[in-house]
Amino acid sequence: MAKKILLTRSEEDNNYLRNILAPKGYNCVDLSLIEHVNLPFNITVLEDFTDIIITSKRAANLLPIEEGIKNVWVVGATSAEMARQKGYNIQYVAYSASELLDKLPSSIYKHAIYLCSNMISTRMPPGIKMINVYKVKYKDHLSDDEIQILKSGVDYIPLYSENCAKTLIKLILINDLLKY
């Protein structure tokens, strides 16, 4: 019998994961806990900075094409490759925002901009400009169908982030689903 896996990322990311997991025999069930909305931002603001900090694929995707002048400090190989293909100089690829924070030299703080969402887990040091380029909205309730999905049981629940894990736990507790 196929293992049931609960996909908790955005609808777009869940579809990507499903295309990988379904052919391997997983029964993929959606419970999108997060929604992303790109925010308008004037890309000319980047002209004032030599270094760009990216901690998500969403932000990396919003980078404009560059001519090898700007440095990028990034979380994740996928985000790094997206920035590299757009012409940026990759300075460091970290596994997490906290690791990246440890690797940022203080000499770039006044020349760096952090492209982020409205909800972040790791704050950058003072002096680094932050600009929200997308908005994150976490699920705040479960539909009857979603409650039934959780009650029917799942074998695996990969979680996208600490905030997704907290959201899922909150929704499970609110709906008295912990026993399932």
Side-chain angles (χ1 to χ4, degrees):
M1 186 160 134
K3 297 282 186 180
K4 191 188 305 184
I5 187 165
L6 188 69
L7 301 179
T8 61
R9 299 180 82 164
S10 68
E11 185 177 336
E12 175 188 343
D13 289 335
N14 283 350
N15 290 335
Y16 175 80
L17 284 172
R18 181 180 300 96
N19 289 334
I20 293 169
L21 296 170
K24 296 178 191 247
Y26 289 96
N27 175 15
C28 298
V29 181
D30 277 4
L31 178 61
S32 294
L33 296 176
I34 188 170
E35 180 184 345
H36 302 96
V37 178
N38 292 345
L39 298 174
F41 82 101
N42 187 346
I43 60 172
T44 61
V45 72
L46 300 177
E47 294 171 2
D48 297 331
F49 299 93
T50 58
D51 293 83
I52 301 170
I53 299 167
I54 301 284
T55 59
S56 72
K57 289 187 306 186
R58 287 253 176 248
N61 191 46
L62 295 173
L63 284 171
I65 302 292
E66 180 58 43
E67 298 176 10
I69 299 168
K70 305 264 185 222
N71 298 320
V72 174
W73 305 77
V74 64
V75 172
T78 301
S79 296
E81 186 55 31
M82 292 168 84
R84 187 176 290 110
Q85 288 179 4
K86 291 182 177 188
Y88 292 84
N89 299 318
I90 307 303
Q91 296 301 303
Y92 189 81
V93 181
Y95 289 103
S96 68
S98 58
E99 177 193 347
L100 185 63
L101 181 60
D102 289 341
K103 298 298 181 181
L104 292 175
S106 59
S107 60
I108 72 161
Y109 290 2
K110 292 183 180 180
H111 310 284
I113 187 168
Y114 177 29
L115 303 183
C116 58
S117 77
N118 60 315
M119 297 182 81
I120 57 173
S121 299
T122 303
R123 291 263 171 223
M124 292 296 147
I128 295 176
K129 176 156 177 76
M130 288 178 45
I131 184 168
N132 293 341
V133 295
Y134 67 98
K135 181 179 176 181
V136 174
K137 182 180 177 193
Y138 288 95
K139 192 171 201 58
D140 59 3
H141 70 279
L142 294 174
S143 69
D144 290 341
D145 288 342
E146 291 167 332
I147 289 171
Q148 289 309 311
I149 287 169
L150 291 172
K151 282 184 174 181
S152 71
V154 295
D155 297 299
Y156 301 105
I157 306 175
L159 294 164
Y160 173 67
S161 67
E162 179 181 339
N163 286 334
C164 273
K166 288 177 181 177
T167 298
L168 180 61
I169 290 168
K170 179 183 86 172
L171 293 171
I172 286 171
L173 292 173
I174 287 171
N175 292 282
D176 194 30
L177 298 170
L178 194 56
K179 59 189 164 231
Y180 299 101

